[in-house]
Amino acid sequence: MNQADQTNYISKAFISCSLRTEDKQFVDFIESILKAYKILPFGTVGKFSAAPTNTAELMKKNIPLADFVVVVATPIYFQKDITTENTTFAISEMLHVESGMAYMADKPLVVFVQEGTNVGNFIPTITQYITLNGKEVDLNDKWQLIGLLLNNTYTIVRQIKEQADNKVFWNTITKGLALFGGLKILESFSEDEKPKRRTVKRKTK
């Protein structure tokens, strides 16, 4: 995507998702929702990003470059609780890793869950999520809620950026004042080091 196309978006989100062919329809569905809200999908290793480095390093590089992280949770594994014998369909461990990286990088986390998918224990402790089944009726029913979620996320993103800008500003001011103070001290020191002219009083007759 060229620079001109990117200007049509107000923010960009790292997409944490499955790359399996059978999950592509739901992933594309979520990406279309993000684009409708002018959010650019970005950074997914193996989808939007590739490099001759290990996958974890590329994730660690791309996540901080995004405004926030979107997890698209689709079922990958069949799990059975040996105590209760309850069965669930769980997400890929890679989505847990990327969620953890987002949390450590202080990036807001937005999660869309395909109906029937268990997101595990970590994600519900750090964010709320919206469950969708990919159908138009369900999307229409939850469109307002999705808009509220994304709008609140964007508000957080702006606050984070403003805090970062303010920090840079005050750091610049502080360093500038420190430099000015240092120059004044050096100037004063230089004045003290200058040889003083001796004044000789002549006696009057």
Side-chain angles (χ1 to χ4, degrees):
M1 181 174 292
N2 59 43
Q3 191 68 31
D5 290 335
Q6 292 189 33
T7 58
N8 295 326
Y9 297 93
I10 60 173
S11 63
K12 61 181 181 178
F14 179 94
I15 309 300
S16 175
C17 66
S18 164
L19 300 179
R20 300 190 314 165
T21 303
E22 50 266 52
D23 297 318
K24 185 177 184 303
Q25 184 176 355
F26 188 75
V27 173
D28 288 347
F29 171 63
I30 299 303
E31 287 180 5
S32 68
I33 294 173
L34 297 176
K35 289 177 180 177
Y37 282 95
K38 297 188 179 300
I39 297 166
L40 176 66
F42 158 86
T44 311
V45 179
K47 181 177 175 68
F48 296 116
S49 182
T53 57
N54 95 40
T55 303
E57 284 299 319
L58 199 51
M59 290 188 304
K60 191 164 68 173
K61 175 186 175 183
N62 287 346
I63 288 174
L65 297 177
D67 294 318
F68 61 99
V69 174
V70 173
V71 173
V72 184
T74 52
I76 300 291
Y77 299 118
F78 177 79
Q79 291 184 334
K80 183 176 182 179
D81 189 307
I82 59 173
T83 303
T84 64
E85 296 191 351
N86 291 332
T87 58
T88 56
F89 293 95
I91 61 176
S92 164
E93 65 272 10
M94 196 61 71
L95 271 63
H96 290 296
V97 171
E98 289 172 332
S99 297
M101 285 184 170
Y103 182 72
M104 293 299 292
D106 290 324
K107 296 294 180 180
L109 190 68
V110 173
V111 183
F112 293 99
V113 181
Q114 186 174 16
E115 191 174 75
T117 307
N118 181 3
V119 296
N121 297 322
F122 175 66
I123 288 176
T125 65
I126 61 172
T127 189
Q128 299 176 5
Y129 58 85
I130 293 177
T131 300
L132 296 168
N133 59 21
K135 295 180 181 179
E136 186 177 351
V137 174
D138 183 52
L139 179 61
N140 288 338
D141 287 343
K142 296 173 182 175
W143 188 255
Q144 186 175 358
L145 182 62
I146 293 170
L148 182 63
L149 173 63
L150 294 176
N151 184 63
N152 287 338
T153 301
Y154 184 62
T155 299
I156 294 171
V157 167
R158 283 190 304 173
Q159 290 172 347
I160 291 171
K161 286 184 176 180
E162 287 171 2
Q163 288 172 1
D165 290 342
N166 287 338
K167 186 176 181 181
V168 170
F169 173 77
W170 285 112
N171 282 344
T172 303
I173 293 296
T174 303
K175 288 177 182 177
L177 290 173
L179 178 61
F180 178 75
L183 290 174
K184 283 295 181 184
I185 291 171
L186 288 174
E187 190 177 296
S188 174
F189 180 76
S190 297
E191 289 293 329
D192 291 340
E193 288 294 301
K194 288 180 181 178
K196 296 180 180 178
R197 295 182 64 180
R198 187 175 179 181
T199 304
V200 178
K201 291 185 179 180
R202 293 185 178 184
K203 292 183 179 180
T204 58
K205 290 183 179 179

